[in-house]
Amino acid sequence: MQTKADIYILAIESSCDDTSAAVCKNGIVLSNISADQKIHAEYGGVVPELASRAHTANIVPVVDTALKRAGVDVKDINVIAYTRGPGLLGSLLVGAGFAKGLAQALNIPLIDVHHMKAHVMAHFISDPKPQFPFLCLTVSGGHTQIVKVTDYNVMEVLGTTIDDAAGEAFDKTAKMLGLPYPGGPLIDRYASEGNPLAFKFNEPNIQGLDFSFSGLKTSVLYFLKEKISDNPRFIEENINDLCASVQYTIVKILLKKLKKAAHETGINEIAIAGGVSANHGLRNALSEMAKKEKWNVYIPEFQYCTDNAGMIAISGYYKYIQGDLGSLHLPTVARWAMGD
Ligand code: KG4
Ligand code: ZN
């Protein structure tokens, strides 16, 4: 039953290759529905034009299913939240156009949400929730950041990648190993059967809290070239060990900087977010480090790690209760700094 004070939010996420919709009531996510786009696998990466077209085909059924699953009528929705950026412009425009049209038709407020902040805000969907201030390592296909979070939606980037994102490092090395896109989950799967110390790959030597993954990529490329010239079946004979060693190196690079950030800030509330936070190697190594460093660690439920509208709904909820409303006139933005 809806009472006058209930806040029902319909949230839309379409920044990359997942079309997602969620319904949340008073900060509780009731449904979170996503349609992914298999079409990109045959191209080895996301094709922006195809992503936009698939969003256009998927958005109405996805929203419809999210409302039905939540048991909420569209007329009961009193706020719409959507991803304004950063992301692929054509993809964002589909979600933004839909959200604006519906907000206008229902004559209700529209809230613009920052996609990377939303990955962090996914920690406020379910318990246990981190205490402020906390650090969040956000690792996705497009971003790798260590963020200091001082309040809902208030974040400062302490470190970022100077080249590839962690997810790209997984996907690009997976491609070299002949695995289809997105390779991250496959590396994770093969790695569970392999020896992480079988092969050694380059680790960057970057000052401060920034990351770099291009050296690792080159190191894997030259290593494979040399090995394949001796044995053309080298990859298939060693796929588990190769995946375990690549994963081990990426996780080591990430956790070295996270530990440095925790020491420098004196913060021991530590969270991870983004698609790569689904990685078992990262989760296990983080739990080990947490025991040694006496950290409280927070890892979102799997459905809220990768791109999803649940995280947009929760970001929108906290913006709404703080009176931070958007406008129908805001343009979508492919790039959007965290502090803006
Ligand atoms: O957050 P996300 O769904 O989308 C972006 O905003 O980019 O992250 C997608 C990235 C891809 O690079 C994918 O390979 C990676 O997350 N990923 C993983 C795993 N699951 C997803 N990487 C490693 N291990 C996983 N289990
Ligand atoms: Zn994302």
Side-chain angles (χ1 to χ4, degrees), residues 90-320:
S91 288
L92 289 164
L93 283 170
V94 178
F98 184 92
K100 288 182 179 188
L102 194 55
Q104 171 87 319
L106 297 172
N107 193 24
I108 56 176
L110 177 72
I111 305 219
D112 56 300
V113 171
H114 190 292
H115 179 85
M116 296 309 296
K117 286 188 178 181
H119 270 300
V120 179
M121 290 297 292
H123 286 282
F124 296 100
I125 295 177
S126 28
D127 289 328
K129 297 173 179 125
Q131 304 284 313
F132 299 118
F134 67 92
L135 295 180
C136 188
L137 172 70
T138 311
V139 270
S140 73
H143 297 267
T144 301
Q145 297 177 329
I146 297 178
V147 178
K148 181 176 163 188
V149 189
T150 47
D151 203 345
Y152 300 110
N153 288 307
V154 182
M155 306 176 194
E156 180 193 348
V157 179
L158 303 182
T160 189
T161 181
I162 59 167
D163 40 56
D164 290 344
E168 270 180 297
F170 272 107
D171 296 339
K172 287 180 179 172
T173 44
K175 199 171 177 182
M176 292 177 206
L177 297 173
L179 302 174
Y181 177 86
L186 293 168
I187 292 205
D188 192 356
R189 197 184 316 153
Y190 287 114
S192 66
E193 306 284 323
N195 172 9
L197 302 177
F199 308 112
K200 193 162 167 38
F201 300 116
N202 267 7
E203 287 168 41
N205 188 13
I206 307 281
Q207 297 298 307
L209 295 174
D210 285 341
F211 300 91
S212 166
F213 291 98
S214 61
L216 165 70
K217 204 173 55 184
T218 316
S219 150
V220 173
L221 183 69
Y222 284 106
F223 173 82
L224 289 177
K225 265 192 182 158
E226 196 187 310
K227 292 289 183 186
I228 291 169
S229 68
D230 292 341
N231 171 12
R233 289 170 50 83
F234 178 77
I235 292 180
E236 59 185 288
E237 285 169 6
N238 294 281
I239 188 74
N240 293 341
D241 286 349
L242 283 164
C243 288
S245 303
V246 164
Q247 179 171 292
Y248 174 81
T249 314
I250 295 174
V251 169
K252 201 168 163 202
I253 295 169
L254 292 171
L255 291 190
K256 184 177 162 192
K257 292 298 171 105
L258 187 57
K259 186 169 158 185
K260 187 172 164 61
H263 285 180
E264 284 180 8
T265 57
I267 294 173
N268 69 348
E269 292 277 299
I270 309 289
I272 54 170
V276 179
S277 61
N279 183 266
H280 291 87
L282 177 60
R283 287 171 174 236
N284 295 340
L286 183 62
S287 303
E288 283 301 305
M289 188 171 271
K291 275 187 224 149
K292 286 194 198 120
E293 298 287 321
K294 304 207 172 7
W295 291 345
N296 299 320
V297 164
Y298 303 88
I299 305 175
E301 246 177 76
F302 183 78
Q303 64 168 321
Y304 301 124
C305 284
T306 51
D307 287 350
N308 68 90
M311 68 186 195
I312 305 303
I314 205 76
S315 290
Y317 173 73
Y318 283 99
K319 286 188 87 169
Y320 182 74

